Amino acid sequence: MTYDLSSYTTPAEVMTEAGTLEFPLGVPTVESADAAYGVADRINAYQAYVNGYPAVSLWAAHKGFLAAGIEDGDVFLTSSLMDSRSLFLTANADTVYFWTFLDLSDGPMVMRAPERTLSIVDDMWWRWITDFGVPGPDRGHGGLYLFAGPDYDGPLPSGGYHVFRSRTNRISVIGRAFLENDDPAPAVARIKEQLSFARYAPGGIGFPVGTFLQGHTPLGQVEELATPRFVEGSGLAISTIIPVDTTFYEMLNEAIQAEPASALDPEIAAPIAGAGIRHGLDFAPDDRMRGILEEAAATANAVTRSVAFRPREAEGFSFYPGTGLHWTSPLFAGGYSFQTPPPLITANGLEPFPDRGAKLNLARASFFYLATGITPAMCMNLTGMGSQYIGATMDANGDGLDGGRHYTVTLPDGIPGAAFWSITLYDNQTRSMLVTDQRYPRAGSQSYPTPAAVPDPDGSITLHFSPSQPDGVVDGNWVQTAPGDGWFAILRFYSPTKAYFDKSWQPTDITPV
C-alpha cells in the first residue's frame, strides 16, 4: 500500500518570511535553524508586547506617581479636576479623581471608602478586583474594605469588611466623585474627610471574641484608620503614558520582577519568558535580541494603534453597526474580561451570552492603549448607574481628525445621560487631553470647568472643534484643536438611560465643515 505523504512531509526547501529554509534529509541546516529561531523570537517579542501591555500601562502610571513624589499610600486628588497639563490616558475633565497605590507585601490593608463615588480596585495587571462606591458592595454609602495580597495566609475576618484578595502585592485604587451644583468642592471635602487606611490587624473587627477563646485566632485591636497624604493633581505635570520603543520591554521586566511569579497566567508568561523576561532573572538581551525587540515593538505598536484607531468591522467595536457611523466601543465585544459580552438586562432577568472560550487579545490591547482602569461597570447593560462611553477616531468620511480643520457634531435632543454628559478631545499620540490654550478640552452639560453647552431651538446641541472659535459660536459649544495634531473624542454619558443601550438615540458623526 502506498500513501500520499505530501501533506505530511517537510520539503527540502521551505519559503518563509525569514527566507528560504533548507531541510536536507529533513534536518535543518545550521543557518536555517538560526533563521527559524529568529522567527520564534520575533513572535515571542510581539506577543510579549501585546500581552504585557496592561502591566506596562499600570507600571508606567506607578512610575509617574513616584517621579512626581507620590508614594504608595499617598492619594493623588484633582480638587479642580483633571486638565491637559497631565498625561493620563483618556482621563475626563468632569469628575473629581482620587488615585492611590497600596502595597500589600507587608500584610493586608484596610480602607474606609468615601461615600458617593464611582471607584475601581484593580491589580497590577489591570485585572478587576472589585468596585467600591455606587457600583460596589457599599452602593455608595461608604464602608470598610480589606485587601489581602497573594502571599498572605493568616486569618481573615468573618464580617465587618468587604474582603478581597489580589494576585499582585500592589493594587491600584481609582475613584471618581461627581460635582454638586457644578462645584467640585463638596466631593473633595468628603473624600478628604472619609478616605482612610490602616495596616490590617488580625483579631480585631470581624472576629468574635469566642474564636479567640477557642484558640482559632489572636485577639487583636481595632485598626486606627489614618488619613493619607493628599497630593494636589490639578495642574500637576505628570506622565503616566507607555513607551513604544524597546523601553517598553525594560518596563515590562520591572513590572514582572515587582510581583510574584504566580501573579501571571502561565500562558501569558510563556511568550514574555521567550522574549527573555523571566521572574527572578536578569533581563539582558544581546545585540541580536535587541534588534528583534526593536522590530517587534514597532510592529506591535503599529498593530495595536491600528486596532484602536481604525478597528475592522470583524472586531465588533462599532457601537451603531450598519449605520455607517464611526462611533466605537471596544468593551461590548468581549466585556471587561475581553472574552464574553456583558449580559443583557431584560424583564426576565439576566440573559448571558455564551462564553467564547477565547480572549479577544486585540480588543484588550487596544482598550488599554487608550484607557485606564477596568471594571464590569464600564460596559454593563444597566440603566441609571455608572457611566458609559463611545469614542470617535475618524470623521464622517472615515478620515483621521485633523487639528487644523473645522468639524461639527450634532447631539439630538434627549442625550441619554440622566446625571450629565460630556465630550472630551485627546491627542492621538499621547492619548491624553489635547493641549491647546484651553486648559480643559471639553464640552458638556455641566458649567464647570467650562461653560455648559447651549442647545439649538430644537433641543439638539451642535458642537464645534477647530483651531479658532467660529463666528457666532458660544464658548460652551466650542473646543479648540491644534493644527498639526491629530485628535480623537470620547462622548460620555453619566447615569445612562435606555436610549443609550437600545441605540434609539444617535449622534451624528464628527463632520468636516
Side-chain angles (χ1 to χ4, degrees):
M1 180 182 294
T2 57
Y3 298 94
D4 180 6
L5 299 178
S6 60
S7 296
Y8 306 95
T9 57
T10 301
E13 291 187 348
V14 180
M15 303 298 294
T16 74
E17 65 179 47
T20 301
L21 305 186
E22 299 178 349
F23 295 85
L25 301 176
V27 178
T29 63
V30 171
E31 295 78 11
S32 294
D34 288 343
Y37 282 120
V39 173
D41 288 339
R42 285 192 290 275
I43 292 172
N44 283 330
Y46 172 86
Q47 291 293 341
Y49 189 103
V50 173
N51 291 333
Y53 206 90
V56 176
S57 171
L58 195 44
W59 190 251
H62 184 250
K63 287 175 69 83
F65 272 45
L66 294 178
I70 308 171
E71 302 292 333
D72 291 349
D74 294 342
V75 178
F76 171 92
L77 178 65
T78 58
S79 297
S80 56
L81 308 190
M82 191 78 78
D83 60 41
S84 59
R85 300 179 193 181
S86 296
L87 298 180
F88 281 84
L89 296 180
T90 55
N92 70 64
D94 310 303
T95 63
V96 175
Y97 276 100
F98 59 98
W99 189 352
T100 186
F101 292 90
L102 300 179
D103 188 347
L104 310 179
S105 58
D106 291 332
M109 291 290 294
V110 173
M111 176 185 73
R112 181 177 294 280
E115 299 172 358
R116 303 198 301 279
T117 71
L118 291 175
S119 304
I120 311 167
V121 182
D122 290 323
D123 75 8
M124 292 302 287
W125 278 80
W126 276 138
R127 291 174 300 214
W128 179 66
I129 296 174
T130 186
D131 296 319
F132 64 96
V134 174
D138 66 275
R139 295 297 181 89
H141 293 283
L144 292 174
Y145 286 75
L146 190 155
F147 303 106
D151 298 326
Y152 179 73
D153 58 1
L156 289 171
S158 58
Y161 300 93
H162 304 293
V163 179
F164 296 93
R165 279 194 173 273
S166 170
R167 293 178 61 184
T168 59
N169 280 319
R170 188 176 280 110
I171 59 175
S172 163
V173 179
I174 301 178
R176 294 170 296 158
F178 291 169
L179 279 60
E180 298 180 18
N181 298 318
D182 292 330
D183 184 2
V188 171
R190 188 170 63 252
I191 292 166
K192 287 185 173 181
E193 178 184 354
Q194 297 177 356
L195 182 63
S196 53
F197 302 98
R199 186 68 64 185
Y200 170 63
I205 290 178
F207 289 95
V209 174
T211 61
F212 163 70
L213 297 175
Q214 293 172 347
H216 297 315
T217 61
L219 188 62
Q221 298 296 317
V222 175
E223 296 89 358
E224 293 189 10
L225 291 156
T227 300
R229 183 175 80 100
F230 289 96
V231 178
E232 179 55 61
S234 298
L236 180 64
I238 180 174
S239 174
T240 66
I241 59 174
I242 303 96
V244 299
D245 58 12
T246 54
T247 310
F248 177 94
Y249 296 99
E250 296 171 9
M251 292 184 67
L252 178 57
N253 179 63
E254 293 174 9
I256 293 288
Q257 304 306 331
E259 298 294 344
S262 60
L264 192 53
D265 295 327
E267 293 81 3
I268 297 294
I272 295 174
I277 300 173
R278 301 174 178 86
H279 181 78
L281 299 177
D282 290 337
F283 175 52
D286 57 20
D287 291 342
R288 181 193 73 88
M289 194 63 195
R290 284 196 176 276
I292 289 174
L293 294 173
E294 182 176 0
E295 175 190 348
T299 301
N301 177 66
V303 170
T304 305
R305 176 170 282 269
S306 296
V307 179
F309 282 86
R310 194 180 289 275
R312 298 175 297 189
E313 183 179 351
E315 303 304 324
F317 294 178
S318 175
F319 194 73
Y320 302 106
T323 64
L325 292 171
H326 293 85
W327 294 97
T328 63
S329 171
L331 276 180
F332 282 88
Y336 82 98
S337 66
F338 303 99
Q339 184 166 320
T340 306
L344 297 176
I345 312 296
T346 73
N348 298 321
L350 292 179
E351 289 189 5
F353 289 91
D355 189 336
R356 286 194 175 96
K359 292 288 186 184
L360 302 179
N361 285 342
L362 288 179
R364 179 177 62 190
S366 66
F367 175 80
F368 287 115
Y369 198 78
L370 299 175
T372 298
I374 191 67
T375 165
M378 283 183 166
C379 60
M380 56 185 175
N381 292 300
L382 188 61
T383 60
M385 182 176 288
S387 53
Q388 297 292 333
Y389 323 120
I390 54 176
T393 56
M394 294 176 283
D395 68 13
N397 302 317
D399 297 324
L401 297 164
D402 183 347
R405 300 189 65 180
H406 179 191
Y407 300 85
T408 63
V409 65
T410 298
L411 310 179
D413 191 17
I415 298 173
F420 59 95
W421 64 268
S422 73
I423 191 167
T424 306
L425 305 193
Y426 300 95
D427 179 90
N428 281 352
Q429 293 295 343
T430 65
R431 289 92 75 201
S432 302
M433 287 188 200
L434 190 63
V435 178
T436 66
D437 292 336
Q438 290 180 338
R439 181 177 173 184
Y440 302 97
R442 53 82 67 186
S445 57
Q446 297 186 140
S447 61
Y448 183 92
T450 62
V454 178
D456 296 325
D458 64 356
S460 66
I461 294 177
T462 301
L463 302 176
H464 296 255
F465 313 115
S466 58
S468 57
Q469 189 167 358
D471 292 341
V473 175
V474 298
D475 290 349
N477 292 50
W478 171 63
V479 184
Q480 188 175 25
T481 59
D485 289 341
W487 58 273
F488 65 99
I490 294 182
L491 180 56
R492 291 177 167 89
F493 310 94
Y494 293 85
S495 299
T497 64
K498 183 174 181 290
Y500 171 81
F501 295 102
D502 65 17
K503 300 178 174 56
S504 59
W505 182 92
Q506 297 179 2
T508 68
D509 265 331
I510 297 176
T511 305
V513 175

